[in-house]
mmCIF file of all heavy atoms in Angstrom:
data_model
loop_
_atom_site.group_PDB
_atom_site.id
_atom_site.type_symbol
_atom_site.label_atom_id
_atom_site.label_comp_id
_atom_site.label_asym_id
_atom_site.label_seq_id
_atom_site.Cartn_x
_atom_site.Cartn_y
_atom_site.Cartn_z
ATOM 1 N N GLU A 902 27.567 -4.393 -19.661
ATOM 2 C CA GLU A 902 28.123 -5.229 -20.709
ATOM 3 C C GLU A 902 28.075 -6.703 -20.293
ATOM 4 O O GLU A 902 28.874 -7.118 -19.469
ATOM 5 C CB GLU A 902 29.572 -4.852 -20.967
ATOM 6 C CG GLU A 902 29.739 -3.341 -21.298
ATOM 7 C CD GLU A 902 31.222 -3.000 -21.522
ATOM 8 O OE1 GLU A 902 32.128 -3.727 -21.121
ATOM 9 O OE2 GLU A 902 31.441 -1.885 -22.162
ATOM 10 N N PRO A 903 27.085 -7.458 -20.780
ATOM 11 C CA PRO A 903 27.004 -8.882 -20.450
ATOM 12 C C PRO A 903 28.136 -9.670 -21.097
ATOM 13 O O PRO A 903 28.542 -9.302 -22.225
ATOM 14 C CB PRO A 903 25.648 -9.326 -21.004
ATOM 15 C CG PRO A 903 25.309 -8.305 -22.002
ATOM 16 C CD PRO A 903 26.028 -7.053 -21.672
ATOM 17 N N SER A 904 28.712 -10.636 -20.365
ATOM 18 C CA SER A 904 29.811 -11.405 -21.003
ATOM 19 C C SER A 904 29.326 -12.261 -22.136
ATOM 20 O O SER A 904 30.044 -12.579 -23.049
ATOM 21 C CB SER A 904 30.435 -12.335 -19.960
ATOM 22 O OG SER A 904 30.716 -11.626 -18.786
ATOM 23 N N ASP A 905 28.027 -12.751 -21.967
ATOM 24 C CA ASP A 905 27.505 -13.675 -22.993
ATOM 25 C C ASP A 905 26.214 -13.131 -23.543
ATOM 26 O O ASP A 905 25.126 -13.593 -23.077
ATOM 27 C CB ASP A 905 27.379 -15.065 -22.306
ATOM 28 C CG ASP A 905 26.897 -16.121 -23.375
ATOM 29 O OD1 ASP A 905 26.730 -15.731 -24.569
ATOM 30 O OD2 ASP A 905 26.566 -17.238 -22.943
ATOM 31 N N PRO A 906 26.222 -12.150 -24.400
ATOM 32 C CA PRO A 906 25.005 -11.518 -24.787
ATOM 33 C C PRO A 906 24.016 -12.396 -25.469
ATOM 34 O O PRO A 906 22.801 -12.099 -25.463
ATOM 35 C CB PRO A 906 25.527 -10.397 -25.828
ATOM 36 C CG PRO A 906 26.944 -10.481 -25.885
ATOM 37 C CD PRO A 906 27.447 -11.576 -25.029
ATOM 38 N N ASP A 907 24.446 -13.501 -26.069
ATOM 39 C CA ASP A 907 23.566 -14.409 -26.725
ATOM 40 C C ASP A 907 22.657 -15.088 -25.751
ATOM 41 O O ASP A 907 21.572 -15.572 -26.114
ATOM 42 C CB ASP A 907 24.286 -15.442 -27.569
ATOM 43 C CG ASP A 907 24.961 -14.784 -28.767
ATOM 44 O OD1 ASP A 907 24.411 -13.730 -29.226
ATOM 45 O OD2 ASP A 907 26.016 -15.283 -29.227
ATOM 46 N N HIS A 908 23.110 -15.208 -24.489
ATOM 47 C CA HIS A 908 22.311 -15.886 -23.472
ATOM 48 C C HIS A 908 21.954 -14.936 -22.338
ATOM 49 O O HIS A 908 21.962 -15.314 -21.188
ATOM 50 C CB HIS A 908 22.959 -17.136 -22.952
ATOM 51 C CG HIS A 908 23.262 -18.160 -24.030
ATOM 52 N ND1 HIS A 908 24.454 -18.226 -24.700
ATOM 53 C CD2 HIS A 908 22.455 -19.067 -24.556
ATOM 54 C CE1 HIS A 908 24.431 -19.203 -25.573
ATOM 55 N NE2 HIS A 908 23.213 -19.724 -25.573
ATOM 56 N N PHE A 909 21.673 -13.697 -22.680
ATOM 57 C CA PHE A 909 21.397 -12.677 -21.695
ATOM 58 C C PHE A 909 20.007 -12.097 -21.916
ATOM 59 O O PHE A 909 19.679 -11.784 -23.070
ATOM 60 C CB PHE A 909 22.416 -11.566 -21.755
ATOM 61 C CG PHE A 909 22.358 -10.544 -20.691
ATOM 62 C CD1 PHE A 909 22.760 -10.887 -19.375
ATOM 63 C CD2 PHE A 909 21.852 -9.263 -20.920
ATOM 64 C CE1 PHE A 909 22.698 -9.880 -18.373
ATOM 65 C CE2 PHE A 909 21.745 -8.328 -19.917
ATOM 66 C CZ PHE A 909 22.188 -8.609 -18.605
ATOM 67 N N ASP A 910 19.176 -12.106 -20.901
ATOM 68 C CA ASP A 910 17.798 -11.598 -21.085
ATOM 69 C C ASP A 910 17.775 -10.051 -21.009
ATOM 70 O O ASP A 910 17.648 -9.473 -19.873
ATOM 71 C CB ASP A 910 16.949 -12.209 -19.982
ATOM 72 C CG ASP A 910 15.401 -11.891 -20.162
ATOM 73 O OD1 ASP A 910 15.157 -10.975 -20.979
ATOM 74 O OD2 ASP A 910 14.580 -12.514 -19.568
ATOM 75 N N PHE A 911 17.959 -9.438 -22.127
ATOM 76 C CA PHE A 911 18.074 -7.980 -22.183
ATOM 77 C C PHE A 911 16.787 -7.297 -21.676
ATOM 78 O O PHE A 911 16.880 -6.291 -20.953
ATOM 79 C CB PHE A 911 18.376 -7.481 -23.580
ATOM 80 C CG PHE A 911 19.820 -7.588 -23.974
ATOM 81 C CD1 PHE A 911 20.342 -8.715 -24.579
ATOM 82 C CD2 PHE A 911 20.704 -6.528 -23.680
ATOM 83 C CE1 PHE A 911 21.689 -8.817 -24.916
ATOM 84 C CE2 PHE A 911 22.038 -6.632 -23.972
ATOM 85 C CZ PHE A 911 22.533 -7.776 -24.576
ATOM 86 N N GLU A 912 15.623 -7.870 -22.080
ATOM 87 C CA GLU A 912 14.369 -7.202 -21.581
ATOM 88 C C GLU A 912 14.233 -7.200 -20.057
ATOM 89 O O GLU A 912 13.871 -6.168 -19.470
ATOM 90 C CB GLU A 912 13.168 -7.870 -22.231
ATOM 91 C CG GLU A 912 13.018 -7.588 -23.687
ATOM 92 C CD GLU A 912 13.068 -6.132 -24.054
ATOM 93 O OE1 GLU A 912 12.416 -5.311 -23.406
ATOM 94 O OE2 GLU A 912 13.802 -5.728 -25.043
ATOM 95 N N GLU A 913 14.592 -8.300 -19.437
ATOM 96 C CA GLU A 913 14.563 -8.364 -17.973
ATOM 97 C C GLU A 913 15.560 -7.403 -17.378
ATOM 98 O O GLU A 913 15.320 -6.753 -16.383
ATOM 99 C CB GLU A 913 14.782 -9.850 -17.572
ATOM 100 C CG GLU A 913 14.807 -10.037 -16.073
ATOM 101 C CD GLU A 913 13.537 -9.744 -15.352
ATOM 102 O OE1 GLU A 913 12.488 -9.468 -16.000
ATOM 103 O OE2 GLU A 913 13.506 -9.616 -14.084
ATOM 104 N N ALA A 914 16.712 -7.322 -17.965
ATOM 105 C CA ALA A 914 17.795 -6.449 -17.496
ATOM 106 C C ALA A 914 17.342 -4.996 -17.600
ATOM 107 O O ALA A 914 17.592 -4.223 -16.696
ATOM 108 C CB ALA A 914 19.086 -6.699 -18.230
ATOM 109 N N ILE A 915 16.657 -4.700 -18.672
ATOM 110 C CA ILE A 915 16.168 -3.303 -18.864
ATOM 111 C C ILE A 915 15.172 -3.010 -17.723
ATOM 112 O O ILE A 915 15.212 -1.961 -17.078
ATOM 113 C CB ILE A 915 15.501 -3.160 -20.220
ATOM 114 C CG1 ILE A 915 16.535 -3.166 -21.348
ATOM 115 C CG2 ILE A 915 14.680 -1.803 -20.273
ATOM 116 C CD1 ILE A 915 15.916 -3.304 -22.705
#
Side-chain angles (χ1 to χ4, degrees):
E902 305 178 343
S904 311
D905 182 4
D907 291 333
H908 299 95
F909 186 74
D910 186 344
F911 278 92
E912 288 308 315
E913 177 61 12
I915 292 169

